[in-house]
Amino acid sequence: MTTNFLKKINNVRKDWGGWFLFFILVYVISFVKLTAGYHNAHYGIFFTIYSTLIGVYILSRFLLAYFHRSEPFDPSYEPTVTFVVPAKNEGGNIAETLRKFSEVNYPLLKVEVVAVNDGSTDNTFEQMLLAKKECESRGIKRVEVVNWEVNRGKREGMAEGVKRAHNEIIIFIDSDSFIHPECVKHLVKYFNNPKIGAVSGHTDVYNRNTNMLTKMQALRYYVAFHVYKAAESIFGSVTCCPGCCSAYRKSYVDPVIDNWLKQEFLGVTCTCGDDRSLTNC
């Protein structure tokens, strides 16, 4: 009991520390914004108001993110999952990407993989076949490798994976991404609520300590997931479940997959923004 009480005290201290730092930042940024607005008022009231509103908006994301809380696990809820991985010319990474699926902390008999070789000109297909044998030998029930000799595009690969998937939850993984062993448990726990259609994973930069550029990229990813998506999630509506790691309920995706695949803008077929578009659908 004493230990639990001390833990609560420490948590309160941490919370107060976070709040103190947040309000210090709010004060500093607000002071800078107001000072800059005062000195730059001759540029026009529109730009002054716009700059202030943008500052308030960004700060509000940090404030809302503070209230994000993760859902607890329900040990009795373990839906079947299908990993879908389209790839083109990823011979250096794809085997490790697929191999990581056999290392997840989840019943492997409830896991299947659909990997799509989208017209690669390197050894991607051979690496997929190699990883297929390893994953099946470790206990994954089904690993299907689809080989397209002509490139069709990422959307086509994702749609093919959806149509070939047999399981309840589809997890899209980029061909150069490596999942954490606890990834599946954290993704699927939200689907215990039947209203949930998609869940965004959290992504970190694998080589973040390589140089200053990768460190900046890691910070950008941290803000995008730990702040922006955390802020959105408290409203139960994330604007984009990223292609690098996101889960979808198959029964929700099936009815929209063909319209999503044929999406056009001003008469031109869309070949980018697949993750945001599928989230919207």
Side-chain angles (χ1 to χ4, degrees), residues 20-269:
F20 178 77
L21 177 61
F22 173 78
F23 282 113
I24 286 293
L25 289 173
V26 170
Y27 174 79
V28 172
I29 295 174
S30 299
F31 177 79
V32 171
K33 281 288 183 183
L34 290 173
T35 303
Y38 175 77
H39 288 293
N40 296 325
H42 61 280
Y43 289 118
I45 190 67
F46 171 79
F47 294 103
T48 301
I49 294 176
Y50 175 78
S51 176
T52 302
L53 290 177
I54 290 298
V56 171
Y57 169 79
I58 293 175
L59 287 172
S60 72
R61 303 303 93 182
F62 284 83
L63 177 61
L64 290 172
Y66 188 81
F67 293 98
H68 170 76
R69 294 294 182 268
S70 181
E71 292 288 331
F73 290 114
D74 180 0
S76 64
Y77 181 70
E78 289 183 337
T80 54
V81 302
T82 300
F83 288 103
V84 173
V85 187
K88 179 186 177 183
N89 294 340
E90 289 286 356
N93 295 313
I94 191 61
E96 184 64 15
T97 296
L98 300 180
R99 194 177 294 117
K100 289 291 185 182
F101 300 152
S102 64
E103 299 174 3
V104 295
N105 182 17
Y106 202 77
L108 293 183
L109 289 177
K110 295 186 176 183
V111 175
E112 69 174 5
V113 179
V114 179
V116 180
N117 175 41
D118 188 16
S120 297
T121 56
D122 63 358
N123 66 336
T124 296
F125 179 56
E126 289 75 17
Q127 290 296 309
M128 284 182 170
L129 294 178
L130 178 64
K132 167 184 167 70
K133 293 180 180 178
E134 293 184 31
C135 290
E136 290 178 337
S137 67
R138 294 178 180 179
I140 292 184
K141 186 176 180 180
R142 170 177 171 253
V143 179
E144 182 176 0
V145 176
V146 181
N147 186 35
W148 290 343
E149 294 184 359
V150 179
N151 175 254
R152 303 185 190 180
K154 185 178 180 181
R155 283 200 189 213
E156 290 280 356
M158 294 171 66
E160 186 71 16
V162 170
K163 293 174 181 179
R164 291 176 181 260
H166 297 159
N167 292 345
E168 301 166 77
I169 306 298
I170 296 172
I171 302 177
F172 291 111
I173 300 291
D174 274 354
S175 53
D176 59 352
S177 298
F178 311 131
I179 66 168
H180 191 276
E182 302 296 321
C183 171
V184 178
K185 290 176 63 177
H186 280 286
L187 285 174
V188 303
K189 65 184 181 182
Y190 296 96
F191 290 99
N192 199 14
N193 180 346
K195 293 183 179 180
I196 299 298
V199 176
S200 167
H202 174 79
T203 306
D204 288 316
V205 177
Y206 185 75
N207 62 336
R208 57 185 175 274
N209 293 320
T210 301
N211 52 46
M212 183 58 68
L213 183 60
T214 59
K215 290 179 180 178
M216 292 169 64
Q217 186 182 18
L219 180 59
R220 176 69 185 91
Y221 271 63
Y222 181 89
V223 172
F225 289 94
H226 263 330
V227 177
Y228 275 54
K229 281 184 172 40
E232 292 173 353
S233 70
I234 68 173
F235 299 101
S237 182
V238 178
T239 56
C240 178
C241 292
C244 50
C245 180
S246 291
Y248 291 80
R249 194 185 302 274
K250 180 173 166 58
S251 61
Y252 283 15
V253 174
D254 284 339
V256 302
I257 193 68
D258 288 327
N259 288 335
W260 168 78
L261 185 58
K262 299 173 184 177
Q263 181 192 13
E264 294 183 350
F265 181 73
L266 297 179
V268 179
T269 301

Side-chain angles (χ1 to χ4, degrees), residues 8-28:
K8 291 179 180 179
I9 291 295
N10 289 331
N11 288 336
V12 169
R13 289 174 178 171
K14 290 178 182 178
D15 288 345
W16 276 112
W19 278 110
F20 178 77
L21 177 61
F22 173 78
F23 282 113
I24 286 293
L25 289 173
V26 170
Y27 174 79
V28 172

